[in-house]
């Protein structure tokens, strides 16, 4: 447990100090966020706030894994390292996207097909890697019911790729107001820390504790009013970290309860677009995704942060209860 606590402290300290250096550097580089014209009008005041701030917690998490994870690597336990690598790949995709947005001074970076293909390739390679090192099986565990379903590997690979790409982009959609994706992901990181320690997968516990520590530090800069945005660099990294942990612990379906806010945000976007096209201009929500609908209904960014993070915390507690009987302890 000392390494788990140490991982949290190391990630928090490095990220907290790193923010003091990186935020001024991003300002000097003029790495300001371009705000979409179709968003809430009051968000235009955020124009120019530094983006790519996800580098802050990525730096803290990576430092913690290097400092606290070497014992696992030496013993041949690479789970935490693989999840970090997977998340970093998505972070790089996000960084490229952010770079083009900053360079062109508009809110468009990589095209949707480009991002999808890069993410799909990363998901498939991660699935193969985790399978080859026996972290992943083709037996799909169903939480709460404590049953498992055998799935042929080709079908499981397709399923895994779909879930990974979907989960990563769901986190990206949630990152729409100050601190929201950060606050929602913090209870998820705590859940995976508790699950990893409960089943003695301490190499994964080191990573998830670092994830929690890095996000706690980032919230110092990202809470309303945000001094920096995580950008796609951060949100895609977070998506990779969350679904990477779910698959590394061989329970991808747990993403449904712990990621309920990610799912609600994504479904609101899908429903809005689909209904708009079917009805030739009518809308279900005032604006999608869900957090913008509630904003236009009078919810403040702080209230959204508290309610969405609170819902996630409750769902994570329920999810932990739903997996406790999976293995004898």
């Amino acid at each position: 447990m000392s390494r788990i606590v140490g991982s949290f402290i190391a990630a928090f300290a490095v990220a907290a100090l790193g923010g003091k250096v990186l935020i001024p550097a991003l300002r000097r580089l003029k790495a300001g966020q371009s705000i979409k014209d179709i968003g809430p009008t009051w968000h235009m005041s955020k124009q120019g706030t530094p983006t790519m701030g996800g580098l802050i917690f990525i730096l803290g998490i990576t430092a913690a894994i290097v400092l606290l994870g070497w014992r696992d690597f030496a013993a041949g336990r690479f789970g935490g390292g693989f999840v970090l690598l997977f998340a970093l790949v998505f972070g790089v995709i996000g960084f490229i996207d952010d770079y083009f947005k900053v360079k062109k001074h508009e809110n468009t970076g990589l095209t949707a097909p480009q991002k999808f293909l890069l993410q799909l390739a990363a998901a498939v390679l991660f699935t193969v890697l985790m399978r080859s090192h026996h972290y992943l099986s083709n037996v799909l565990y169903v939480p709460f019911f404590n049953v498992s379903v055998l799935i042929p590997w080709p079908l499981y690979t397709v399923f895994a790729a779909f879930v990974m790409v979907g989960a990563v982009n769901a986190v990206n959609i949630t990152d729409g107001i100050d601190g929201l994706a950060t606050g929602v992901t913090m209870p998820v990181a705590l859940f995976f820390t508790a699950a990893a320690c409960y089943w003695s997968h301490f190499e994964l516990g080191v990573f998830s504790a670092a994830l929690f520590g890095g996000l706690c530090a980032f919230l110092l800069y990202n809470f309303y009013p945000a001094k920096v945005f995580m950008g796609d660099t951060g949100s895609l990294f977070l998506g990779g970290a969350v679904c990477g942990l779910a698959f590394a612990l061989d329970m991808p379906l747990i993403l449904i309860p712990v990621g309920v806010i990610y799912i609600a945000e994504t479904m609101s976007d899908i429903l809005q677009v689909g209904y708009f096209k079917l009805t030739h201009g009518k809308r279900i929500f005032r604006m999608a995704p869900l957090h913008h609908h509630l904003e236009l209904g009078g919810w403040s960014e702080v209230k959204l942060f508290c309610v969405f993070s609170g819902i996630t915390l409750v769902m994570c507690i329920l999810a932990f209860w739903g997996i406790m009987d999976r293995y004898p302890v």
Side-chain angles (χ1 to χ4, degrees):
M1 284 299 295
S2 61
R3 286 198 305 136
I4 304 299
V5 176
S7 182
F8 165 80
I9 293 172
F12 181 88
V14 172
L17 293 173
K20 293 185 177 296
V21 176
L22 282 170
I23 293 174
L26 290 170
R27 287 200 187 101
R28 287 194 298 271
L29 292 171
K30 296 183 171 34
Q33 176 73 45
S34 296
I35 305 298
K36 289 182 179 180
D37 294 333
I38 59 173
T41 54
W42 56 88
H43 280 208
M44 294 307 294
S45 63
K46 302 172 186 275
Q47 186 92 7
T49 301
T51 187
M52 294 191 282
L55 292 169
I56 294 170
F57 56 76
I58 291 173
L59 178 65
I61 293 165
T62 304
I65 298 305
V66 171
L67 290 170
L68 279 303
W70 60 268
R71 186 189 304 175
D72 293 313
F73 302 152
R77 297 186 294 268
F78 299 108
F82 289 155
V83 175
L84 175 62
L85 178 63
F86 181 61
L88 285 172
V89 169
F90 278 96
V92 169
I93 295 170
F95 180 84
I96 295 169
D97 194 37
D98 283 335
Y99 174 78
F100 283 122
K101 289 176 184 176
V102 170
K103 186 177 180 181
K104 293 190 292 185
H105 299 288
E106 57 186 53
N107 203 35
T108 53
L110 294 171
T111 64
Q114 287 172 334
K115 282 194 280 191
F116 175 75
L117 289 173
L118 288 170
Q119 292 171 0
L120 184 64
V124 172
L125 288 173
F126 179 69
T127 302
V128 172
L129 181 66
M130 295 299 282
R131 178 190 175 187
S132 65
H133 284 79
H134 309 293
Y135 282 96
L136 194 61
S137 71
N138 59 333
V139 177
L140 188 63
Y141 173 69
V142 183
F144 299 99
F145 297 96
N146 202 34
V147 297
S148 299
V149 181
L150 182 65
I151 299 177
W153 267 114
L155 181 59
Y156 188 92
T157 303
V158 173
F159 161 79
F162 172 79
V163 171
M164 289 179 192
V165 173
V168 168
N169 286 287
V171 177
N172 181 244
I173 289 171
T174 304
D175 180 37
I177 63 171
D178 296 4
L180 187 60
T182 309
V184 168
T185 307
M186 285 166 61
V188 179
L190 272 179
F191 164 80
F192 282 119
T193 304
C197 293
Y198 189 69
W199 293 329
S200 300
H201 293 301
F202 293 112
E203 75 277 17
L204 296 173
V206 167
F207 177 85
S208 51
L211 177 62
F212 181 65
L215 289 175
C216 285
F218 184 65
L219 195 60
L220 298 174
Y221 307 106
N222 188 230
F223 189 71
Y224 180 85
K227 300 178 183 67
V228 67
F229 299 139
M230 67 173 67
D232 284 1
T233 304
S235 62
L236 294 188
F237 175 93
L238 289 186
V242 167
C243 66
L245 283 165
F247 277 92
L249 287 167
D250 206 13
M251 52 177 187
L253 291 182
I254 205 63
L255 289 170
I256 296 173
V258 304
V260 64
I261 294 297
Y262 305 142
I263 295 169
E265 292 274 57
T266 304
M267 290 306 300
S268 68
D269 224 19
I270 294 171
L271 289 171
Q272 183 85 324
V273 172
Y275 190 74
F276 185 87
K277 290 181 178 179
L278 285 172
T279 60
H280 304 290
K282 292 183 180 180
R283 292 174 171 85
I284 300 174
F285 303 98
R286 301 180 188 95
M287 184 180 291
L290 181 60
H291 58 258
H292 285 331
H293 169 77
L294 295 172
E295 268 193 291
L296 291 174
W299 285 39
S300 68
E301 295 191 46
V302 173
K303 181 177 180 179
L304 278 163
F305 170 90
C306 293
V307 173
F308 281 26
S309 301
I311 290 171
T312 303
L313 177 60
V314 171
M315 293 304 295
C316 285
I317 293 170
L318 289 174
F320 189 77
W321 173 76
I323 63 169
M324 286 182 66
D325 294 331
R326 183 182 185 185
Y327 301 121
V329 177

